[in-house]
Amino acid sequence: MCTAFIHRGTDVIYGFNMDINAEAFSWEIVAEKDAFYVAFTPINGDKYFTSACGLPEGYADYLGNELRVQGVNSKGIFAVQLNNMGCKGAPFEVSEDAYPLYGIVDNLLSGRITIKEAEEIAMNKRLLNMPAEGINIPDIAMHSLVADATGNMLLLEPGNGFARLCGRYSILSNFPILVQPKDLDEEHRGFYGLDRYETANRILAEADDSFDVQDGLKLLNAVKQIGHWATRISFVWSKNENAVYYVLENDFEHVIRHAF
């Protein structure tokens, strides 16, 4: 499921809750000097690391079978992927004119491309979702919020395209923004994460320029999930500190700091 946000004031704050069924895939947190990210090992690596689907030649040689699927790096690049419950129109395929969304996220976090280059990919390629057999979630579809510390922000939605974002803050949950579903209503609030989106939007709309790490953690706590699709990791990044503050399994009493 998940919730992501960006707030730009006297500090630039990124925030993310990874809400996931524990059986969906195996993951681990990697905290290095150059990046903080969630690492995911695909079930079928060969279909992920093929240069025939728009990825650069030799892509598999960069990191074996590990994908960086959510995180931030030391240069202030933020890239996350969230379930997109209303956009199934871009299934994975091997095609020279297409590019998988996970490739953009992984390349951004790994420092191989910039936000500008990610936008150029989105302008010139069809964005695709993950291969269905790579993750244990039926009809998997994703979308991404990505940004850099200078204020460039992009929304990437396979099947719908992309958009440059502007303004003081941005939010993403589990419904497409570019082409909203017709049943985005009271009955389907939980399915689409509309309740979490509206909570985050209210908090950020009321915030002033002093919004900081602690405010970001409070926001993530307010939209956390429990149960089968519980929040497994929550993290906030501060541009002023160039540091990540993260929480495991909704334990907001124990915050871990990782500085770049």
Side-chain angles (χ1 to χ4, degrees), residues 6-108:
I6 298 169
H7 184 277
R8 301 187 298 180
T10 55
D11 198 355
V12 176
I13 301 292
Y14 303 145
F16 181 68
N17 271 355
M18 188 178 83
D19 310 335
I20 193 71
N21 169 3
E23 291 79 42
F25 60 85
S26 297
W27 59 273
E28 64 175 335
I29 295 170
V30 180
E32 301 175 337
K33 65 177 183 177
D34 294 325
F36 172 91
Y37 60 93
V38 176
F40 158 51
T41 301
I43 297 169
N44 188 336
D46 291 344
K47 289 198 174 183
Y48 281 77
F49 301 114
T50 171
S51 60
C53 60
L55 294 166
E57 194 71 38
Y59 179 78
D61 296 335
Y62 285 115
L63 52 141
N65 283 337
E66 179 189 272
L67 284 175
R68 301 181 180 199
V69 291
Q70 329 280 7
V72 61
N73 68 23
S74 60
K75 295 181 180 178
I77 298 291
F78 173 67
V80 294
Q81 301 175 82
L82 299 78
N83 278 7
N84 185 353
M85 307 304 289
C87 188
K88 311 294 185 184
F92 181 83
E93 62 177 290
V94 176
S95 174
E96 289 286 358
D97 71 343
Y99 204 100
L101 184 63
Y102 70 79
I104 291 180
V105 170
D106 179 78
N107 276 320
L108 281 168

Side-chain angles (χ1 to χ4, degrees), residues 20-22 225-232 250:
I20 193 71
N21 169 3
Q225 301 294 285
I226 59 175
H228 192 56
W229 286 82
T231 303
R232 308 299 174 182
N250 280 325

Side-chain angles (χ1 to χ4, degrees), residues 1-4 82-84 143 171-175 177 192-194 196-197:
M1 303 304 281
C2 308
T3 307
L82 299 78
N83 278 7
N84 185 353
H143 55 177
I171 308 163
L172 197 61
S173 61
N174 306 115
F175 60 90
I177 302 296
Y192 286 117
L194 183 59
R196 288 178 279 114
Y197 183 94

